[in-house]
Amino acid sequence: FKYDPPVGNDSHPHSVYQLPDLRSFVKCDLSNAKQLSNATQGAGEGFEVVLDKWQPYYFACGESNGFHCDVGRMKFFVVPMLRAWRT
């Protein structure tokens, strides 16, 4: 994840939360979400999240009580592809 930190009063901060399930994702319910980053941790090179299981992962911006999530602008989900391992 990479995003600009807030600058001045005219910018809106961002953060990244991992939501526990589809219901939380659809409703933008951050009450049981895990905060992965705050408003400044996406600066520079940003940060990486390793998706190590074959399952859906749900993410959303949690700033301003999930405003960006509520308007559908900063939320997405990922399902990693199953990969065959060679020995």
Side-chain angles (χ1 to χ4, degrees):
F1 290 91
K2 186 174 181 177
Y3 50 88
D4 294 329
V7 179
N9 293 333
D10 291 336
S11 64
H12 189 80
H14 303 294
S15 60
V16 177
Y17 282 76
Q18 183 174 346
L19 295 100
D21 52 40
L22 179 60
R23 182 183 178 110
S24 297
F25 176 76
V26 170
K27 295 185 173 285
C28 292
D29 178 1
L30 300 169
S31 62
N32 292 312
K34 176 182 176 185
Q35 185 176 12
L36 302 179
S37 71
N38 63 31
T40 61
Q41 289 173 296
E45 292 300 312
F47 67 97
E48 183 177 293
V49 174
V50 176
L51 308 177
D52 59 357
K53 295 179 183 166
W54 188 49
Q55 67 180 37
Y57 290 86
Y58 305 98
F59 301 98
C61 177
E63 296 302 304
S64 300
N65 294 318
F67 171 76
H68 280 156
C69 183
D70 284 334
V71 296
R73 293 190 58 198
M74 294 192 71
K75 71 181 201 177
F76 67 97
F77 69 94
V78 177
V79 180
M81 291 178 55
L82 202 59
R83 184 167 102 172
W85 295 97
R86 294 184 179 170
T87 57

